[in-house]
Amino acid sequence: MFAIFYFLLIRPQQKKQKQITQMHSNLQKGDRIVTIGGLHGTIDAIDENKLVIVVDGSNRLTFDRSAVKEVVNED
């Protein structure tokens, strides 16, 4: 019973958290991102725990690194 619980609930959540942590550590200046709140922008500067996002070409907003939901770079 515990094995089924582990493979259905715990392991997928651990894999997802590992992917999110890796994505946060790989953020770079110029990446197009979406925040948890749905704000779209481009990274202008990165600090250890904070980043500055350029929105609409001229507005700069500061966010915590953990507020990034996904990177949406078009390759």
Side-chain angles (χ1 to χ4, degrees), residues 7-71:
F7 283 108
L8 291 178
L9 297 175
I10 297 173
R11 189 164 182 244
Q13 179 135 5
Q14 287 176 340
K15 288 176 77 173
K16 180 72 172 172
Q17 186 61 39
K18 186 176 178 181
Q19 289 174 344
I20 291 171
T21 304
Q22 183 178 9
M23 185 258 310
H24 286 165
S25 66
N26 290 335
L27 291 173
Q28 298 177 358
K29 182 177 178 179
D31 283 348
R32 296 184 46 82
I33 62 167
V34 178
T35 65
I36 293 171
L39 183 77
H40 293 247
T42 304
I43 297 176
D44 186 49
I46 298 178
D47 196 0
E48 186 174 322
N49 292 322
K50 295 183 181 178
L51 43 96
V52 177
I53 300 173
V54 176
V55 181
D56 201 26
S58 61
N59 298 325
R60 288 178 165 50
L61 303 170
T62 303
F63 281 90
D64 287 339
R65 194 180 279 248
S66 62
V68 176
K69 178 181 174 185
E70 63 180 319
V71 178

